[in-house]
């Protein structure tokens, strides 16, 4: 497989993952994703931002989130995020520290 085709397939897989998380499973909470998988929608937006920055494209965290979420992050949270219990919050602190860094 040539590199161009590989990149196109990887991009298609990313778009499918994004569609799945945003449109088909908006009910799945970011905290649950982080606790179970070590990443969440915000991580995907951050990775998008980092890829842009590595290519000399200036992009803030908020800009990347708006691109990923298709709306302002606060609007997404208001529409989809539920309150997490203390056990989930404690597990998140561990998952975040192990996978992202100190909050």
């Amino acid at each position: 497989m040539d590199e161009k085709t590989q990149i196109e397939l990887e991009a298609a897989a990313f778009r499918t993952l994004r569609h799945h998380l945003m449109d088909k499973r908006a009910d799945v909470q970011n905290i649950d994703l982080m606790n179970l998988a070590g990443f969440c929608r915000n991580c995907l937006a951050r990775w998008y931002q980092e890829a842009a920055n590595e290519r000399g494209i200036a992009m803030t965290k908020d800009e990347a989130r708006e691109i990923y979420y298709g709306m302002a992050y606060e609007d997404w949270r208001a529409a989809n995020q539920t309150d997490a219990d203390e056990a989930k919050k404690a597990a998140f602190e561990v998952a975040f520290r192990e996978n992202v860094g100190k909050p």
Side-chain angles (χ1 to χ4, degrees):
M1 175 184 319
D2 63 86
E3 185 178 5
K4 181 180 181 293
T5 301
Q6 180 180 351
I7 291 168
E8 290 170 353
L9 294 175
E10 291 167 350
F14 175 81
R15 286 189 300 270
T16 301
L17 174 61
R18 183 194 173 280
H19 173 73
H20 183 78
L21 291 173
M22 301 304 291
D23 298 329
K24 292 184 176 183
R25 293 306 311 264
D27 61 312
V28 176
Q29 298 296 300
N30 276 339
I31 197 167
D32 295 324
L33 286 170
M34 180 61 81
N35 289 349
L36 292 172
F39 78 96
C40 67
R41 292 172 185 89
N42 292 331
C43 295
L44 292 166
R46 179 174 49 86
W47 297 336
Y48 188 95
Q49 175 199 9
E50 290 170 354
N53 293 163
E54 287 172 4
R55 287 159 181 77
I57 301 167
M59 182 180 296
T60 66
K61 176 173 75 172
D62 289 337
E63 290 169 334
R65 283 183 174 179
E66 188 159 342
I67 290 167
Y68 186 83
Y69 283 90
M71 64 182 75
Y73 177 58
E74 291 306 318
D75 293 342
W76 168 265
R77 287 183 64 191
N80 297 288
Q81 187 168 310
T82 60
D83 290 333
D85 63 33
E86 293 305 315
K88 284 184 181 183
K89 289 177 184 178
F92 174 82
E93 293 299 322
V94 173
F96 189 92
R97 187 172 48 253
E98 290 177 352
N99 294 287
V100 181
K102 293 185 178 184

